[in-house]
Amino acid sequence: MNRIGAGVLTITSIALFILSWEQPAYAYIDPGAGSLLLQVLMGGLAGAAVVAKVYWKNLMARLGRGGDTTSDDHGEPDT
């Protein structure tokens, strides 16, 4: 058995050994967790929409079908 296979086998064995002594958590998920998950989901969707818009605009500009290829920032650092 090669070294990578032996390492994976060792880690898997240790993980199964630790998980075999599972105990109940006696925990709950508070109501704020749901709103946090909703905010993360909405923020991710909004970010994906902005990224898609930027790439779509760049693609259309490269294909010569409209879009603005000029920008105010010429790669100069802020002072």
Side-chain angles (χ1 to χ4, degrees):
M1 186 182 288
N2 60 15
R3 295 182 81 172
I4 295 174
V8 170
L9 181 64
T10 303
I11 291 172
T12 305
S13 299
I14 291 171
L16 288 174
F17 182 71
I18 291 171
L19 291 174
S20 67
W21 282 331
E22 180 181 325
Q23 302 225 352
Y26 300 114
Y28 69 98
I29 298 176
D30 65 335
S35 68
L36 176 67
L37 291 174
L38 185 61
Q39 286 179 1
V40 167
L41 180 65
M42 291 173 55
L45 289 174
V50 169
V51 168
K53 179 181 176 183
V54 167
Y55 281 116
W56 183 258
K57 201 172 196 181
N58 285 339
L59 178 66
M60 288 295 116
R62 288 181 188 220
L63 293 176
R65 298 183 182 197
D68 188 13
T69 58
T70 61
S71 67
D72 295 331
D73 186 21
H74 300 289
E76 300 171 357
D78 294 334
T79 54

